[in-house]
Amino acid sequence: MKRPIWVPTILILSAAFLTAGTYCGLFVAPAEEHMGEVQRIMYVHVPTAWTAMLILTWSFVSAVMFLMRASWRWDNRLEAALEVAVIFCLLLCMQGAIWAKPTWGVWWDWDPRLTTTAVLLIAFTGIVALRHFIDDPARRATWSSVATIIAYVDVPIVYFSVRWWNSLHQLQSSPSTISRDFLIPLMLNFAGMLLLVIGLMTIRARTAALRLEEEMLPAPQPLARPVEVMA
Amino acid sequence: MNGILTGGWNFVLAAYIVSGTILIAYSIHAINSFRKAMAARTTKGL
């Protein structure tokens, strides 16, 4: 297996975008009229949410493709997507809590958006754990694919929760209604996170492929007859 | 109380530091795991 040569380039580009986005978000963009400086959290929270939704959708695609084609390549992609999805969901909940304290006065509330996101984090963490518990690669791949498809049902619920129920969480904004000063750091951070995720999922999928290759190796056979030891 | 938030830089910095730390830590972990898996493969002569 070849080392992914283009991945370092993607990771360096991602670091450049994230540095520029962070600089613009913290020092260039003006404070928002009502939320003041706290609104700067949005430049990292919103791109995290968009990226998390994309990774979760990719994990769903990988699960469906594995079940349709029974190809290990798709199982490796699923393993990579699941792990990165858990990291992003965890990040989303932590950033949300840091945002909630100064704006809502509490770190956490059992609001529909927060609750459904927490369910998503728990469900996908459970699938990652499930993969560690099953030794047989074929069963592990099939079970985790089915579990991913079931857990993915929560993704549209998370997205529409703010419209379906009376939620503390604000509705989605459209980039067309956001001022350019606010949009630039948002998009720079989104580009950076997207590139980071592509790089990380490529590395993680190749690690999964290497581990699978090792797992599939035939076990050493016992010797047919005992070796005579010469005295 | 006028509905307008003042201050809050500590929360902003906390959000950025937490995000940066988690992303950098996971990136290092992913790269190290890949290197270990490649090294193990080379050792076994695959």
Side-chain angles (χ1 to χ4, degrees), chain B:
Chain B
M1 291 286 271
N2 55 6
I4 296 172
L5 285 171
T6 51
W9 268 106
N10 49 343
F11 290 102
V12 176
L13 292 178
Y16 278 77
I17 290 168
V18 165
S19 307
T21 307
I22 291 180
L23 290 178
I24 291 170
Y26 180 70
S27 302
I28 292 170
H29 165 75
I31 293 167
N32 282 342
S33 300
F34 176 69
R35 283 187 177 161
K36 272 184 198 167
M38 281 294 274
R41 186 177 189 263
T42 312
T43 312
K44 287 179 182 168
L46 290 172

Side-chain angles (χ1 to χ4, degrees), chain A:
Chain A
M1 182 178 286
K2 285 180 187 171
R3 282 175 188 272
I5 299 164
W6 54 273
V7 171
T9 316
I10 281 220
L11 292 179
I12 291 165
L13 261 177
S14 148
F17 274 112
L18 287 172
T19 307
T22 302
Y23 178 78
C24 289
L26 290 179
F27 306 112
V28 179
E32 203 267 342
E33 191 182 354
H34 298 286
M35 290 179 279
E37 308 296 351
V38 176
Q39 190 266 343
R40 295 178 196 279
I41 296 174
M42 288 299 107
Y43 304 131
V44 69
H45 184 59
V46 175
T48 305
W50 289 347
T51 315
M53 292 296 134
L54 288 175
I55 308 164
L56 291 163
T57 305
W58 180 245
S59 70
F60 173 77
V61 170
S62 303
V64 171
M65 290 304 285
F66 174 79
L67 293 178
M68 282 171 65
R69 298 200 175 165
S71 158
W72 290 115
R73 196 177 281 249
W74 284 107
D75 181 55
N76 296 333
R77 286 173 186 159
L78 175 63
E79 185 172 314
L82 288 171
E83 201 176 277
V84 179
V86 167
I87 296 293
F88 271 75
C89 286
L90 176 71
L91 208 54
L92 200 57
C93 288
M94 291 174 84
Q95 292 163 350
I98 296 170
W99 159 263
K101 182 63 181 166
T103 52
W104 301 343
V106 286
W107 292 102
W108 183 263
D109 184 77
W110 294 105
D111 158 272
R113 170 57 74 85
L114 275 66
T115 308
T116 49
T117 308
V119 169
L120 205 58
L121 172 63
I122 294 164
F124 278 82
T125 306
I127 301 169
V128 171
L130 176 78
R131 288 187 69 92
H132 283 94
F133 292 137
I134 305 171
D135 290 330
D136 177 28
R139 261 209 283 169
R140 179 174 60 216
T142 310
W143 288 15
S144 59
S145 295
V146 172
T148 302
I149 292 167
I150 295 169
Y152 186 78
V153 171
D154 192 34
V155 172
I157 299 175
V158 169
Y159 186 81
F160 289 109
S161 58
V162 286
R163 293 175 190 272
W164 289 345
W165 296 293
N166 186 21
S167 174
L168 262 176
H169 196 285
Q170 60 267 49
L171 289 171
Q172 297 93 347
S173 303
S174 159
S176 59
T177 61
I178 299 173
S179 159
R180 200 166 163 264
D181 291 343
F182 296 154
L183 194 60
I184 290 172
L186 198 69
M187 296 317 280
L188 281 172
N189 278 339
F190 178 54
M193 282 192 189
L194 200 58
L195 289 172
L196 179 68
V197 158
I198 293 170
L200 288 177
M201 289 206 301
T202 307
I203 294 173
R204 195 55 195 79
R206 295 196 182 202
T207 309
L210 289 167
R211 287 180 186 159
L212 187 69
E213 195 180 64
E214 197 177 324
E215 252 181 307
M216 297 281 205
L217 279 177
Q221 294 297 311
L223 293 169
R225 60 193 170 98
V227 178
E228 286 172 23
V229 180
M230 299 296 285

